[in-house]
Amino acid sequence: MTTIAFPDAPPAAALDDEQRIAVEHGDGPCLVIAGPGSGKTRIIVERFHRLSALGIGTGRQLVLTYTRKAADEMRARVERAHGSFGDDAPLTNYHSFGLRVVREWGWLLGISPVLRIADAAERWLHVEAVLDELRPPLLWNPLRPHDLMDPLLEIIGTAKQELVTPDAYATWAAARLEVCDDPAERIVLERHKDVARLYARLDERYRRAGVFDFDDCILYAERLIREHPAVRSAVADRISHVMVDEYQDTNYAQAKLVETLVAGHRNLFVVADDDQSIYKFRGASRANLDRFSREYPEHRQLVLTNNYRSTDQIVAASRALIGVASPATRIEKRLIADRGPGAAVEVWRAPEERSEAMAVARECARLIADGMRPADIAWLFRQHVDMQPAMRALRQCGVPYQVAGGRGFFQEREVKDALALLAAIDDPDDSQAVLRCLTLPGWGVATAGRVALVRAAHQHDVPLVTLIADAAVGDLDEVDLAAARQCVEDIRELHAVSQREDVRDLFQLALEASGFLGIIDEQSGVARLQMGANLNKLGELLETFADWSDDRRVSTALRYLGVLRDSRDGGELPSIEAIEDGVVLLTAHGSKGLEWPVVFLSRCTERRWQGRTTSSSDLQLPDDLVPEPPPPGDVAVDEERRLFYVASTRARDRLVYTWARSYPQPSSDESCTPFLTMAMSLRGGSVLSKEVPADITVAVRPPRPVGAPVLQRLSIAVSDLSVFRSCPRRYNYLRRWHLPVRPDARNWYGTMIHEVLRTAATRRIAGEAVSGDVVASMWHAAWDQSRGPKGRHAELRAHGEEQLRRYLESPGWIDTTIDQVEEPVTISLDHADAAGRFDRVDRRSDGIPTVVDYKTGRPKEEVALRADLQLRAYAVGLAQREQSDEVAIEFHYLQGAITRVIADKSFLRKAHGHLSATARELAVASSTGSFPPKPSRWQCQRCDFRTVCDEGRAAANEE
């Protein structure tokens, strides 16, 4: 049997005295000020476990972080040191916590049980619709309607974060206008009045559509806990200790949520570094720390002064960099390096951009040749756009790399191909779109053939489809002619389908016809993952479009995608998992919380690192409306300095700054950023300067280098085990490549049923009588707000009400005590952690812990269910969580039947072995990249990927 070994985590060092005092802090508020590398995240992890050891269980603790990435990293650190949790650990970010509270308790405020979180694309479109409706003259320009879209979204988001309501905004603007005589200022105030109108109208539109943004989740979660005793009892009163990481970046609404949570006990432990505040509104680095001192005057303040990450040279250079900031903007702290002097910090100056990039790429190649892991090298930038020369240089030097995020989604080849395909389907006479389609693997007309087609089209002045259909091209060989005619035939057929099907179905059919745009032919595993993620994102954008618009024609969808191309967030590339070792390319913002032995920070020029400039005409939330006073000094420059400091402090052993005297855009001469020159002047001869010679090599574009596979413990969903067991190749396409699949009406219907039952069970736990009429009303509200395939499945409306009413009269609802609803669970297996969610956890008179899972399909017998992988997973997960040798799993079929399966010690042991064996096979497949198919006629005929799987296609066509 193939085995796989995962790297062990290094043993944890003993806590120093400062860290130990922080970890052992008891009750009451505590503020820990901790610089980079001082172990601020570690003390939260260790304190979490110390409280657990003292009898304060995980359910009574809550750890909040600013980002989801930080929450995932913290949980990973907890589990590396202390083993996996049996269920979801209470380590989360603000938005996820708020969303969970709103999902469970939003019914108290009339919020739909099927509320959705609007992504950046949908928010953009809602603002566009409101602008078009209101047409405020100072905000809306019909010739350039999208110019202010991103600034408007930003100011409204800031207003929510600062707890400024639309009414408060409008009242302020009206009051100021009454007393203002200055014509110029009146124009600014009229603009704010229009923003307040738009804000109010957008809020109404969100509620009517049943959508929230993440800021809404925090606002409504805080309101629910503060105003409703049942929510306060169920959420806040169960938590006796709250800990917050990166507290300096917490916005005002998040701070109020935390204060509301701890109002009953004031056991709040926060860790902060004002020098690393890079997300706070207006760059107010000290605002949260000052607010904490005001709100909790009895608090204890501790300072961590030892840096265990970086050498003394790096710590001293970073201190010189941040130390020049005004004392009014920061708290003075002096970090002491624990690791000795180390190598001098380096500053490289190159004549131009390519020489700078090639010098760093060659040094990366040298370090890797000397034995360093590529992933131990980070190359950081101020903006994603600055990474392009670096990627070209790394390719030329044969160095594997991985890019975290980035922009340019609509410039990716496969996205352009997909859009051209949709454009050709919408209008087959669009010869440019058809010409691009001819290059796709599903048809593959050679370059010479395409040139001949273009020449003939110009000569005859007819669309390409007409030319090809009439075979009126003499220079085209038979192979290319046959491929071109097949392409035209497919496009015309899809055009006919587009007259009756919506764009989501058409997108899937188009991908299948085109051979999934060539993803199978891509040799680089990383490139394949990125292609799959890009296509999946495009499919998700079309899903969002379908939620937003009742007109789902291709032409309308193409206009929608064209609008998104102009948005700030629409161009973000979807991130992919790291499956290969490679040099890490990242922005300074993205590097926060991470560290590497070697860090290169490039394009350190004054133009790139000078601070964001603002003007009085910019749309910004007025200072009068912000609860906190504006920070002193030059806010933009101070925040940019802190960002530069954050990037610099990511290095453990070696830190190299690079810059060039000229770049293509702009073409004027560059100078070194003053942040760096100031630090160099303070450090004197301890900084090593280097002149990079001009690079004279010929620029080439070789294939992307392939790195060694990355071995890591898998974190998967329970459903992933079922998908992998049924067909490993389908798992690869679906879960790793993230290829889009057809929308499934059964999933849409099942999700709505589950959400209604979740809300009904939550209301019952809160003591409310939930009748059939109440649930029917909830169901119809959910149906009205959902934008799924209702038109084609109108009969499901009555069917859903019938199923729900029948279920509420069944023993499965009446004769039980519901203990928990939508409870997350993590199952610890030998090679993976599998996450799932219990629909319900009940208490029964026999004392056996029982999980309830709702099913909308046909009932199955107990014998068949005992072999069901989901049942085995839920049984093992419940047994691990309850530490019980006997549990029960009940499948509640809404058609009326209930099947109860008792899992005893023997069953649980066998189930865990079966699940672990499947997880082991999945881990081996992930490490080797080998995902063989399991073809069968029944399965392959229903598979979305049969057109790109030779074995699947053959099995599907068997007689």
Side-chain angles (χ1 to χ4, degrees):
M1 178 184 295
T2 304
T3 59
I4 179 170
F6 298 100
D8 293 326
L15 295 169
D16 66 27
D17 289 343
E18 295 171 344
Q19 293 172 334
R20 179 181 52 76
I21 292 171
V23 169
E24 293 177 356
H25 172 74
D27 291 345
C30 181
L31 168 63
V32 180
I33 299 175
S38 61
K40 58 180 179 293
T41 301
R42 184 186 177 196
I43 64 171
I44 289 182
V45 170
E46 295 299 331
R47 187 167 187 269
F48 180 90
H49 283 282
R50 183 176 186 276
L51 290 174
S52 298
L54 292 173
I56 301 171
T58 59
R60 294 175 61 197
Q61 300 184 57
L62 175 65
V63 179
L64 292 170
T65 66
Y66 188 76
T67 65
R68 184 173 181 177
K69 182 182 76 172
D72 291 343
E73 170 63 19
M74 188 174 291
R75 172 168 181 163
R77 291 176 66 168
V78 170
E79 295 187 338
R80 279 199 300 268
H82 300 275
S84 175
F85 287 93
D87 57 5
D88 251 21
L91 299 100
T92 186
N93 65 324
Y94 291 100
H95 294 142
S96 297
F97 176 78
L99 177 58
R100 183 167 185 183
V101 172
V102 172
R103 280 199 186 282
E104 289 185 9
W105 297 97
W107 54 273
L108 288 167
L109 299 176
I111 296 171
S112 168
V114 292
L115 75 93
R116 295 180 294 103
I117 298 299
D119 60 14
E122 186 171 4
R123 292 197 302 273
W124 224 74
L125 289 165
H126 279 298
V127 171
E128 184 198 37
V130 173
L131 271 178
D132 189 55
E133 173 191 335
L134 300 179
R135 301 196 175 189
L138 296 176
L139 298 177
W140 187 77
N141 180 350
L143 298 178
R144 300 172 63 89
H146 302 148
D147 279 2
L148 291 177
M149 298 281 283
D150 286 321
L152 286 168
L153 277 169
E154 185 171 346
I155 193 173
I156 291 172
T158 302
K160 291 180 180 182
Q161 292 166 14
E162 299 298 319
L163 296 183
V164 179
T165 65
D167 287 344
Y169 200 161
T171 300
W172 172 85
R176 288 292 303 273
L177 278 167
E178 281 185 9
V179 298
C180 179
D181 297 325
D182 184 347
E185 186 179 353
R186 286 191 65 84
I187 291 175
V188 174
L189 291 171
E190 289 286 356
R191 263 187 135 196
H192 283 298
K193 182 180 176 181
D194 286 343
V195 173
R197 283 180 62 216
L198 185 141
Y199 180 11
R201 186 68 187 87
L202 184 66
D203 206 44
E204 294 171 7
R205 187 181 176 91
Y206 277 5
R207 298 295 83 78
R208 192 171 64 249
V211 299
F212 269 42
D213 60 27
F214 282 120
D215 292 320
D216 290 326
C217 294
I218 294 169
L219 293 176
Y220 281 87
E222 192 275 335
R223 179 182 167 189
L224 282 163
I225 296 168
R226 175 168 42 83
E227 295 181 356
H228 294 273
V231 187
R232 188 161 55 250
S233 173
V235 179
D237 292 352
R238 291 186 180 183
I239 300 169
S240 63
H241 287 78
V242 174
M243 290 178 274
V244 181
D245 194 17
E246 304 286 5
Y247 187 72
Q248 74 279 353
D249 285 325
T250 300
N251 63 45
Y252 186 70
Q254 292 166 343
K256 287 294 290 182
L257 173 61
V258 171
E259 291 163 14
T260 302
L261 282 169
V262 304
H265 51 71
R266 298 173 75 85
N267 293 328
L268 176 59
F269 183 93
V270 304
V271 180
D273 180 9
D274 54 306
D275 288 335
Q276 296 189 69
S277 178
I278 58 175
Y279 295 113
K280 181 74 175 158
F281 172 54
R282 298 189 307 189
S285 59
R286 289 189 54 170
N288 282 346
L289 280 60
D290 293 340
R291 177 179 176 79
F292 187 92
S293 299
R294 292 194 306 271
E295 293 294 320
Y296 306 99
E298 78 278 22
H299 79 281
R300 183 184 191 184
Q301 181 168 310
L302 304 172
V303 181
L304 305 185
T305 59
N306 294 307
N307 182 302
Y308 296 98
R309 175 187 300 157
S310 307
T311 63
D312 184 61
Q313 292 278 3
I314 295 171
V315 170
S318 301
R319 184 168 57 241
L321 167 69
I322 198 67
V324 299
S326 167
T329 65
R330 62 183 296 268
I331 298 172
E332 179 60 34
K333 59 189 76 68
R334 187 171 183 85
L335 288 174
I336 303 169
D338 182 71
R339 298 185 53 225
V345 172
E346 303 167 54
V347 178
W348 295 3
R349 183 173 68 174
E352 35 70 38
E353 180 183 67
R354 185 166 185 272
S355 297
E356 177 190 14
M358 288 298 295
V360 176
R362 289 195 182 97
E363 182 64 5
C364 292
R366 186 191 68 78
L367 292 171
I368 295 167
D370 289 344
M372 179 171 282
R373 285 185 60 235
D376 284 339
I377 305 170
W379 195 348
L380 306 182
F381 305 85
R382 177 63 182 86
Q383 298 177 358
H384 278 295
V385 69
D386 298 336
M387 296 180 189
Q388 293 300 323
M391 288 188 277
R392 290 192 292 267
L394 290 170
R395 281 177 182 253
Q396 187 157 347
C397 294
V399 177
Y401 61 89
Q402 48 182 304
V403 181
R407 297 191 62 80
F409 171 75
F410 285 101
Q411 280 68 54
E412 293 287 282
R413 177 184 60 81
E414 59 276 5
V415 176
K416 289 183 176 180
D417 288 344
L419 294 178
L421 189 50
L422 289 175
I425 292 167
D426 180 52
D427 179 11
D429 288 343
D430 185 341
S431 294
Q432 284 191 335
V434 171
L435 186 64
R436 187 167 189 120
C437 293
L438 292 173
T439 69
L440 300 177
W443 304 292
V445 176
T447 302
R450 296 197 305 274
V451 170
L453 284 168
V454 171
R455 188 182 299 117
H458 282 305
Q459 290 174 352
H460 293 81
D461 193 24
V462 295
L464 269 181
V465 289
T466 303
L467 197 71
I468 294 169
D470 295 342
V473 186
D475 297 336
L476 210 61
D477 63 34
E478 291 184 3
V479 174
D480 280 345
L481 178 59
R485 296 188 77 169
Q486 183 63 54
C487 178
V488 168
E489 182 180 331
D490 290 341
I491 287 173
R492 284 179 165 172
E493 182 178 332
L494 290 169
H495 175 70
V497 172
S498 72
Q499 306 306 304
R500 61 180 185 275
E501 299 289 347
D502 80 33
V503 69
R504 294 170 296 176
D505 294 319
L506 207 63
F507 176 61
Q508 194 68 34
L509 292 171
L511 288 180
E512 293 174 4
S514 69
F516 274 82
L517 305 179
I519 190 172
I520 304 299
D521 301 326
E522 176 58 56
Q523 297 303 306
S524 166
V526 173
R528 265 200 310 269
L529 285 187
Q530 191 64 63
M531 286 182 67
N534 289 342
L535 292 177
N536 189 63
K537 175 177 176 175
L538 188 56
E540 289 175 349
L541 290 177
L542 292 174
E543 285 289 340
T544 300
F545 161 75
D547 283 337
W548 173 78
S549 173
D550 292 325
D551 179 0
R552 296 168 184 170
R553 292 173 299 171
V554 180
S555 57
T556 314
L558 287 171
R559 177 194 168 276
Y560 153 85
L561 293 171
V563 168
L564 289 189
R565 191 183 286 113
D566 296 333
S567 72
R568 179 189 303 165
D569 295 323
E572 290 285 341
L573 286 168
S575 57
I576 59 173
E577 61 179 312
I579 63 168
E580 295 176 0
D581 198 359
V583 172
V584 180
L585 273 60
L586 203 60
T587 63
H589 274 101
S591 71
K592 188 174 183 182
L594 304 175
E595 58 183 68
W596 298 269
V598 177
V599 170
F600 294 92
L601 182 55
S602 284
R603 199 158 183 171
C604 299
T605 64
E606 183 175 10
R607 185 173 280 109
R608 187 58 87 219
W609 289 94
Q610 63 178 346
R612 295 190 303 274
T613 57
T614 58
S615 69
S616 59
S617 63
D618 286 342
L619 278 173
Q620 298 180 68
L621 193 65
D623 286 343
D624 293 348
L625 291 171
V626 180
E628 299 161 341
D634 191 326
V635 173
V637 171
D638 285 340
E639 183 169 2
E640 203 77 354
R641 180 186 291 108
R642 292 194 296 270
L643 181 58
F644 198 79
Y645 173 76
V646 165
S648 302
T649 56
R650 302 306 96 197
R652 293 205 294 262
D653 304 319
R654 185 181 176 194
L655 174 61
V656 182
Y657 300 104
T658 73
W659 65 285
R661 288 188 291 270
S662 70
Y663 293 89
Q665 296 293 333
S667 58
S668 57
D669 291 342
E670 296 272 5
S671 58
C672 184
T673 172
F675 301 149
L676 189 51
T677 54
M678 205 172 299
M680 289 171 62
S681 67
L682 292 173
R683 293 289 295 154
S686 57
V687 174
L688 180 63
S689 297
K690 173 183 173 180
E691 287 289 335
V692 174
D695 186 84
I696 57 174
T697 59
V698 177
V700 296
R701 185 176 173 82
R704 180 169 177 167
V706 177
V710 173
L711 305 181
Q712 55 189 354
R713 183 174 176 83
L714 296 177
S715 294
I716 56 177
V718 168
S719 58
D720 290 341
L721 294 171
S722 299
V723 174
F724 178 80
R725 175 58 64 193
S726 65
C727 180
R729 182 167 291 177
R730 175 174 168 77
Y731 170 88
N732 190 35
Y733 290 162
L734 189 64
R735 298 290 191 249
R736 280 165 54 92
W737 293 13
H738 298 290
L739 293 182
V741 296
R742 297 171 188 266
D744 191 329
R746 289 177 301 177
N747 288 341
W748 163 74
Y749 175 78
T751 298
M752 278 205 302
I753 288 284
H754 276 69
E755 288 299 319
V756 170
L757 286 173
R758 175 189 60 76
T759 303
T762 302
R763 294 171 73 164
R764 179 172 157 179
I765 291 173
E768 183 177 334
V770 181
S771 65
D773 289 342
V774 169
V775 171
S777 176
M778 291 164 54
W779 168 251
H780 289 298
W783 180 277
D784 290 338
Q785 291 196 334
S786 171
R787 287 188 175 272
K790 295 184 288 190
R792 283 176 290 173
H793 301 281
E795 73 284 355
L796 290 178
R797 181 167 194 154
H799 182 63
E801 179 182 349
E802 179 188 349
Q803 283 198 321
L804 288 167
R805 285 184 178 277
R806 184 188 306 123
Y807 180 65
L808 257 69
E809 296 172 356
S810 72
W813 179 263
I814 297 172
D815 301 333
T816 190
T817 300
I818 301 174
D819 191 38
Q820 293 170 316
V821 178
E822 284 291 307
E823 192 66 15
V825 61
T826 299
I827 304 157
S828 181
L829 303 173
D830 291 349
H831 288 76
D833 294 321
R837 193 170 291 273
F838 297 147
D839 288 344
R840 221 171 73 196
V841 180
D842 288 1
R843 291 198 312 272
R844 296 295 168 83
S845 57
D846 58 12
I848 299 176
T850 301
V851 159
V852 170
D853 194 72
Y854 303 126
K855 297 292 183 184
T856 56
R858 295 178 179 177
K860 293 182 180 179
E861 297 295 330
E862 180 180 346
V863 174
L865 287 176
R866 283 186 169 274
D868 183 83
L869 192 144
Q870 182 194 21
L871 182 141
R872 294 180 180 184
Y874 282 180
V876 171
L878 184 61
Q880 288 181 348
R881 198 183 77 154
E882 300 291 331
Q883 298 182 343
S884 173
D885 289 336
E886 186 177 48
V887 296
I889 309 297
E890 289 185 355
F891 283 176
H892 288 201
Y893 296 93
L894 269 68
Q895 293 186 2
I898 296 175
T899 304
R900 180 176 172 89
V901 177
I902 302 294
D904 58 16
K905 188 173 182 179
S906 173
F907 178 90
L908 291 169
R909 186 184 69 253
K910 292 177 182 177
H912 187 275
H914 179 262
L915 294 167
S916 290
T918 303
R920 186 183 308 114
E921 292 175 22
L922 178 52
V924 170
S926 298
S927 67
T928 61
S930 175
F931 292 87
K934 286 187 177 179
S936 72
R937 183 184 179 191
W938 183 88
Q939 183 167 263
C940 293
Q941 282 181 338
R942 293 160 176 79
C943 181
D944 291 298
F945 310 117
R946 62 187 180 276
T947 59
V948 289
C949 174
D950 293 339
E951 294 86 348
R953 189 163 50 248
N957 293 330
E958 285 180 357
E959 293 297 334

